[in-house]
Amino acid sequence: MYRFAKAAVNITGQAARQVRHGSSAQPDFHTKHGNTVLISGTVFCVAVWSYVLTQTGLTWNPSPVGRMMPKEWREKEEEE
């Protein structure tokens, strides 16, 4: 049991040193530019969709109710 506890403490100490070492290193790309990239992507997306919805004149999935008339039913003529 003593060996197991000693190994567990040793592993925990190594993990803590790795975490401390990683946090003191220089920040990576996501830490430096993450929020800027997120905000600029959001602004771009909103700008493009605003243009599409207001300027292109697309009609989005109009309902055919009241505009389509059903065809008259024709029974197949029986040939004698």
Side-chain angles (χ1 to χ4, degrees), residues 19-39:
V19 169
R20 271 185 281 154
H21 177 69
S23 64
S24 66
Q26 292 187 4
D28 62 349
F29 177 83
H30 298 288
T31 305
K32 285 183 183 178
H33 308 291
N35 289 335
T36 306
V37 171
L38 180 67
I39 291 168

Side-chain angles (χ1 to χ4, degrees), residues 21-71:
H21 177 69
S23 64
S24 66
Q26 292 187 4
D28 62 349
F29 177 83
H30 298 288
T31 305
K32 285 183 183 178
H33 308 291
N35 289 335
T36 306
V37 171
L38 180 67
I39 291 168
S40 62
T42 303
V43 168
F44 177 78
C45 183
V46 168
V48 168
W49 277 108
S50 297
Y51 174 78
V52 167
L53 293 174
T54 59
Q55 301 298 318
T56 58
L58 293 176
T59 54
W60 296 90
N61 219 6
S63 175
V65 174
R67 285 187 281 141
M68 291 181 66
M69 297 298 293
K71 292 182 180 179

